[in-house]
Amino acid sequence: CRYGAVLLDIGLPDMTGHSVLKALTEMDANLPVIILTGQVSEQNTIAPLTKGAFAYATKPYNASEIKALIRRAVGVRALSAKAETVETALNESEERFRSVVQSTADAIILAQETGQIIFWNKAAQGMFGYTERDVMGKPLTMIMPARYSAAHQRGLERVLSSEVPRVIGKTMDLHGLRKDGSEFPLELSLATWKTQQGTFYGGIIRDITERKRGEE
């Protein structure tokens, strides 16, 4: 059975919420777990985040806040599931892969281990303003604000050294850079794989401008 998200009270009567969190993340690393706690301490808030929790909420609970967290968590779960579908399609056949990625509303971008773009779907064109011809063979840094360049380079170095990048398998909130120079908030789910031709990685990207406005 697959769940969209989990609400977990850190103060359980017969066992610790920390042990349940550990079991849940071991069972499914991409399952968003929202921690609920009445004791606002680092042990009950920040610590679970470092161990895989998606977010936390503290008493007195705000119903609107909890609903917003759940909606976001389910959205992240759906994005991770889509990444798995894309990877499966890529492994099965090029024709099926292209059919899947060109029909999705999310931007899908693939790059080789040195950071050059090798695939760019229609949604990416609409999101960033570049055509496929504009970006093929170009570095990923052209679609990210300059402040991300150093972290991006460190990630590439970890890929080249065969280390597992810290962001693989996670969903992150970042900002993208459009062709016209404007920035926008996005949600990124990143994956990597190896073939005989080398190491590649891909991103499933969702524009979250409207969600951010709602949160504000």
Side-chain angles (χ1 to χ4, degrees):
C1 181
R2 293 175 68 90
Y3 296 93
V6 170
L7 289 174
L8 174 61
D9 194 327
I10 207 72
L12 299 176
D14 53 351
M15 60 192 307
T16 68
H18 294 280
S19 61
V20 176
L21 173 63
K22 183 174 184 294
L24 288 171
T25 54
E26 288 176 350
M27 179 181 67
D28 185 347
N30 293 324
L31 178 63
V33 180
I34 300 170
I35 298 296
L36 303 177
T37 180
Q39 297 182 347
V40 185
S41 65
E42 183 173 333
Q43 177 68 13
N44 288 344
T45 56
I46 304 303
L49 296 183
T50 66
K51 297 176 182 177
F54 176 78
Y56 66 82
T58 58
K59 292 181 180 179
Y61 301 129
N62 180 294
S64 297
E65 178 187 359
I66 297 295
K67 289 178 181 178
L69 279 174
I70 293 173
R71 283 196 296 270
R72 185 183 172 203
V74 171
V76 166
R77 178 64 165 172
L79 197 61
S80 297
K82 184 169 287 185
E84 292 175 4
T85 301
V86 169
E87 186 174 358
T88 299
L90 178 62
N91 291 334
E92 288 180 351
S93 73
E94 182 176 354
E95 182 179 353
R96 172 171 166 73
F97 168 73
R98 289 187 175 276
S99 175
V100 169
V101 300
Q102 292 296 4
S103 63
T104 180
D106 296 321
I108 297 179
I109 303 170
L110 305 185
Q112 57 189 12
E113 59 189 13
T114 51
Q116 278 70 43
I117 297 169
I118 60 172
F119 181 84
W120 183 264
N121 74 342
K122 293 177 182 178
Q125 178 175 325
M127 192 176 295
F128 289 94
Y130 292 103
T131 65
E132 186 177 23
R133 179 177 295 182
D134 291 334
V135 301
M136 291 300 287
K138 301 293 180 59
L140 284 165
T141 49
M142 71 183 295
I143 60 170
M144 63 178 68
R147 61 183 178 277
Y148 294 145
S149 296
H152 172 67
Q153 184 58 41
R154 290 194 297 270
L156 290 178
E157 290 170 358
R158 285 195 292 271
V159 170
L160 291 172
S161 65
S162 297
E163 294 181 35
V164 178
R166 296 175 185 173
V167 294
I168 297 301
K170 301 293 183 181
T171 302
M172 305 164 291
D173 284 5
L174 300 170
H175 282 81
L177 183 66
R178 295 191 179 96
K179 184 178 181 179
D180 64 8
S182 62
E183 292 187 17
F184 66 98
L186 59 82
E187 201 166 63
L188 168 67
S189 181
L190 194 62
T192 186
W193 63 93
K194 292 186 178 182
T195 70
Q196 293 180 344
Q197 286 72 43
T199 301
F200 301 88
Y201 53 97
I204 314 295
I205 300 171
R206 179 172 295 169
D207 185 336
I208 56 172
T209 301
E210 292 303 317
R211 193 196 82 195
K212 287 294 186 180
R213 286 175 181 166
E215 290 176 353
E216 291 172 0

